[in-house]
Amino acid sequence: MPPSSPASGDETPAAVAARLTGRAVTGVRPLSGSLTEAALDDGRTVVVKRAEEAEAARAEEAGLRWLAEAGAPPVPRVHGREGAWLVLDRVAEGRPDREAALRFGRELAGLHAAGAPAFGAPPPGGPVEAFIGLAPMRNVTGDDWPAWYAEHRVLPYLRLAVDAGTITAGEAAVVERVCTRLPELAGPAEPPARLHGDLWSGNVLWGADGKVHVIDPAAHGGHRETDLAMLALFGCPLLDTVLEGYQDVAPLAEGWRERVGVHQLFPLLVHAVLFGRGYAGQALAAARSARSL
């Protein structure tokens, strides 16, 4: 098992990369405030990532390992974790194309079919108090998806948005009414799927190897339509082709297109909490659309 204890000593990205890969670092290139590329003396390049806190790095490490167990779609190899630091393989990026999109859809269906012990189940070794992006996300388990989704995914972020004044009490009632109707809106019962959990287009990398790689998961057990709804929310390239590949392997239940707004409530409310009123308006539009079903 790679090291996971807090670093003692030099905490520069270069030093962390050297410790966790066992290789000398020949150069570094900052990508952002939290990401650095590190070139190793064997010719490989890794990404050194510093999370906001150690539990966020722990959640990401556990999520990546859990997704990797399913076999596909590929995720960056985890070299190790020290406190809030993670060292991962770099994904060399290419361009979207039809064959990669079809393959991604089929592999995503396989990931979902790998399953989870329950809705809300965290990855093995992952914390209950996890994260989606910079927002907290509690991985509390349940056996009934509509009740679990309302209690542990929609309503917590609705309350935070109301407390912050981003959504009014009157507007919140629209979302609350959707939650009461979830048993009839959710469609046929499905087993818990193994979700990426934060599958927006920025976490979908079209690799130079002709494969689609996924990064930065908020992995947990959930409804498979939630991952697909998030792909649609932020404009995944070649989405229709991805869905074609998915349906080839695991056809979706009748009415899934009408349920997209139900599944988008969760990420939209998370974004409303993190980024404000613009996303609140989108969340309310999704709720109103769901109510009309």
Side-chain angles (χ1 to χ4, degrees):
M1 176 66 68
S4 59
S5 58
S8 57
D10 191 352
E11 289 200 346
T12 65
V16 172
R19 284 197 299 271
L20 293 183
T21 63
R23 308 296 310 192
V25 173
T26 59
V28 295
R29 182 169 73 96
L31 301 176
S32 70
S34 61
L35 293 175
T36 301
E37 280 187 354
L40 306 180
D41 64 352
D42 61 1
R44 291 177 298 154
T45 302
V46 294
V47 173
V48 184
K49 181 175 183 178
R50 182 158 195 168
E52 290 290 314
E53 54 184 274
E55 284 297 89
R58 177 185 163 203
E60 182 173 348
E61 177 192 30
L64 286 168
R65 295 190 188 282
W66 195 44
L67 299 187
E69 286 176 5
V75 299
R77 174 189 170 198
V78 180
H79 290 274
R81 176 176 63 87
E82 280 186 349
W85 293 95
L86 274 175
V87 176
L88 313 167
D89 274 347
R90 183 191 63 170
V91 177
E93 293 191 58
R95 297 176 64 85
D97 66 62
R98 175 174 170 78
E99 189 55 40
L102 283 170
R103 178 174 183 157
F104 176 44
R106 294 170 186 143
E107 291 180 338
L108 187 58
L111 171 64
H112 292 164
F119 298 111
V128 170
E129 302 295 338
F131 297 84
I132 178 165
L134 297 177
M137 183 183 77
R138 298 196 75 226
N139 282 324
V140 178
T141 61
D143 296 323
D144 176 69
W145 184 79
W148 170 84
Y149 184 66
E151 183 177 356
H152 299 295
R153 288 298 180 263
V154 176
L155 293 176
Y157 301 96
L158 179 65
R159 295 183 190 112
L160 288 171
V162 170
D163 290 346
T166 305
I167 292 177
T168 69
E171 291 169 333
V174 177
V175 178
E176 290 165 348
R177 284 193 289 273
V178 171
C179 288
T180 63
R181 291 189 57 207
L182 276 173
E184 65 182 276
L185 298 176
E190 298 234 0
R194 187 171 304 192
L195 296 191
H196 176 282
D198 192 11
L199 201 59
W200 71 288
S201 58
N203 288 340
V204 174
L205 301 184
W206 300 79
D209 58 3
K211 302 176 183 177
V212 174
H213 302 243
V214 295
I215 62 171
D216 294 349
H220 63 280
H223 196 300
R224 61 187 181 134
E225 291 177 15
T226 303
D227 264 355
L228 300 177
M230 194 173 290
L231 281 177
L233 182 59
F234 295 112
C236 176
L238 300 175
L239 180 57
D240 286 344
T241 307
V242 173
L243 292 170
E244 179 185 340
Y246 192 101
Q247 298 259 46
D248 285 346
V249 174
L252 294 160
E254 184 177 354
W256 69 270
R257 290 187 185 277
E258 288 71 36
R259 293 189 292 272
V260 168
V262 171
H263 291 273
Q264 288 179 345
L265 269 179
F266 164 47
L268 284 170
L269 286 168
V270 170
H271 278 68
V273 169
L274 292 175
F275 305 117
R277 181 65 189 177
Y279 286 106
Q282 290 186 51
L284 292 168
R288 294 184 179 105
S289 173
R291 281 181 56 200
S292 68
L293 294 180

